[in-house]
Amino acid sequence: MSLVSPEDLLVQRAHAYHQAMLAANVRLTTPPVSRLRLVSVTPTSSKGDRVTSATAAFSFTVEPADCNAWGTIHGGCVFTLCNAAGKIATAAVAAGAHSIVSTDLTTNYLSAVPHGATVSIEIECLRVTKSIGFLRGTIKDANGALCYISVQNVSFEM
């Protein structure tokens, strides 16, 4: 009998939610979300055998369609990526969560990212209650420089 590690279980949940999100919203999901690549999901705290918080790491390569007139990633694209990554991180931690919606999302823009650049996105699901998740995240360039910060709360059903 093989036991699935907590990390593997989180990755499975995150991947399943990402795929379900794309399948359910074929016409509504913007192309950037389909190019968001899950790299890892790492537990950051647990209570007994239940993971209570985790960090989901993603990579994303900026394409010209993601950019504004100055050739850097558009703020709306950044917002969309943080929104989707936050929902995926929530689904990983809150087993069985569905109908995940953002109740608020704040993004701070610190530095521009040009098209062709690959960024790393890390979203930490800090805590989940019976129906609310609390998250924070960062987007960094290939050199590790901080480009964007996000703080997000989501609501969900179990």
Side-chain angles (χ1 to χ4, degrees):
M1 179 166 112
S2 78
L3 296 174
V4 177
S5 73
E7 291 87 354
D8 290 341
L9 186 57
L10 292 173
V11 169
Q12 289 172 5
R13 288 184 200 151
H15 181 70
Y17 189 82
H18 188 203
Q19 295 307 309
M21 183 170 44
L22 292 173
N25 295 305
V26 173
R27 291 181 355 183
L28 300 177
T29 302
T30 57
V33 175
S34 65
R35 291 185 283 110
L36 190 59
R37 298 290 166 237
L38 180 65
V39 175
S40 65
V41 183
T42 307
T44 54
S45 68
S46 60
K47 197 178 257 186
D49 63 348
R50 184 175 61 89
V51 173
T52 56
S53 66
T55 298
F58 303 84
S59 68
F60 180 79
T61 300
V62 181
E63 294 185 358
D66 306 321
C67 295
N68 56 31
W70 295 275
T72 61
I73 191 168
H74 190 280
C77 183
V78 169
F79 192 89
T80 297
L81 293 170
C82 291
N83 186 43
K87 291 176 181 182
I88 294 167
T90 300
V93 174
H98 61 91
S99 303
I100 302 170
V101 296
S102 294
T103 56
D104 67 274
L105 173 57
T106 301
T107 52
N108 295 320
Y109 304 90
L110 307 174
S111 178
V113 176
H115 79 274
T118 298
V119 296
S120 62
I121 302 168
E122 287 190 355
I123 303 290
E124 183 177 10
C125 184
L126 301 164
R127 180 172 185 260
V128 293
T129 67
K130 292 180 182 180
S131 62
I132 298 172
F134 303 90
L135 304 105
R136 68 177 169 204
T138 61
I139 297 179
K140 297 179 180 178
D141 67 16
N143 297 320
L146 188 58
C147 300
Y148 307 95
I149 299 170
S150 70
V151 177
Q152 179 180 12
N153 296 323
V154 296
S155 176
F156 55 87
E157 296 176 4
M158 293 297 269

